[in-house]
Amino acid sequence: MNNSTILQKIKSLPTPFYYYDMELLENTIDTAKREADKYGFHLHYAVKANFNEPVLKMLAQKGFGADCVSGREVQTSVKAGFNANAVVFAGVGKSDVEIDAALDLDIFCFNCESLMEIEVINELASAKGKTAQIALRINPNVNANTHKYITTGLSENKFGINMWELDSVLETLNNCPNIELIGLHFHIGSQITDLSSFKNLATKINTIQEWFFSRQIMVKVINAGGGLGVDYHNPDGQIPDFSEYFKIFNDFLELRPGQEVHFELGRSLVTQCGSLISRALYIKNGIKKNFAILDAGMTELIRPALYSAHHEIANLTSTSKTILKYDVVGPICESTDCFAKDLELSETSRGDIFQIKSAGGYGEVMASDYNLKTLYPALYSTEI
Ligand code: LLP
């Protein structure tokens, strides 16, 4: 963002809006792909992290599959260029309409999360005279050591099929002629920075596979989910450690010949390339600090309000040498509408441009219409 052409462009536009550094996105994607290719791993992109068209198009062009959690995500992905036969459809609550649409597109795989869901997909596939390929999403009961709201792989969570249900699942599968079991799927959570959690997942997958092997079942696909975290404290140009991440799975997963390993990464691919750009509307004196009131709030980026998430913030335009403490807040009538507390910034004036970093993943996609504020269209570095 030190580039003066970009700053001039940004200054000329109404705020708030998201800015995407497409070169960083491409470098990040290329790095992930290169590291995965070393082991022949297959990559899907978790569309929920960011479904902007240029972002989706780039990932599709680079040969990623799409990991979707709704019918509209499936349709949007296919429209953006992902091959339907590389689309996986996950989620605990797929509706009949969504399942039907996915069957019509002949997607690669439904990641199934309950016994009842398998029966429903069987019924809907049978009505169309089709066979649906499915993977069982198994809850491996592995701790991801991340924020409790984004932990998914513990038995107390609503996600996946528990180990004690597997016998009944196999029985059900025997009565579902329109279902073909092709894979096992796992996802233990998001923003995982303690990589030993992935080692624990890999070894747990081995144990679970043994259970299947002992029943003469060998699936083709092992999908280890997503979850690789990013460094929210050092955002500038940061590319996550894909090399170490994939190496862990290569080192610890025990595979049988012909088995494929799939991943569905979201945050690690798209977070650092995106920023929320906002203007300071007012400066207001508080006790021992000031409030910098921005024109963006929790309606544009909800992560700080929802998860107490940290995002680095920069004042891009102040040239003052005076450093002051600010609470950087939004305009919404909720006390949780705060991006940072007691942040040291160069003295801020009305009109200064702010960059809230690491906002490419789960940023714009989680923006809401609350208060009917205006979020202006995204700006892409390739347009400047
Ligand atoms: N696969 C499944 C089944 C998932 O549920 C998720 C994310 C992913 C893959 C992608 O995970 P990633 O690689 O992005 O960690 N809104 C929250 C994050 C929610 C993540 C939900 N599931 C946030 O802003 O931190």
Side-chain angles (χ1 to χ4, degrees), residues 46 48 67 137 150 187 190 227 264 266-267 303 307 362 366:
K48 61 158 80 84
D67 163 40
R137 175 167 181 185
I150 49 176
H187 174 74
S190 198
E264 39 193 45
R267 185 191 317 264
R303 303 193 69 261
Y307 315 112
Y362 307 107
M366 290 178 80

Side-chain angles (χ1 to χ4, degrees), residues 320-333:
S320 169
K321 296 271 177 287
T322 312
I323 302 293
L324 295 173
K325 268 191 183 166
Y326 292 90
D327 275 10
V328 180
V329 301
I332 311 299
C333 301

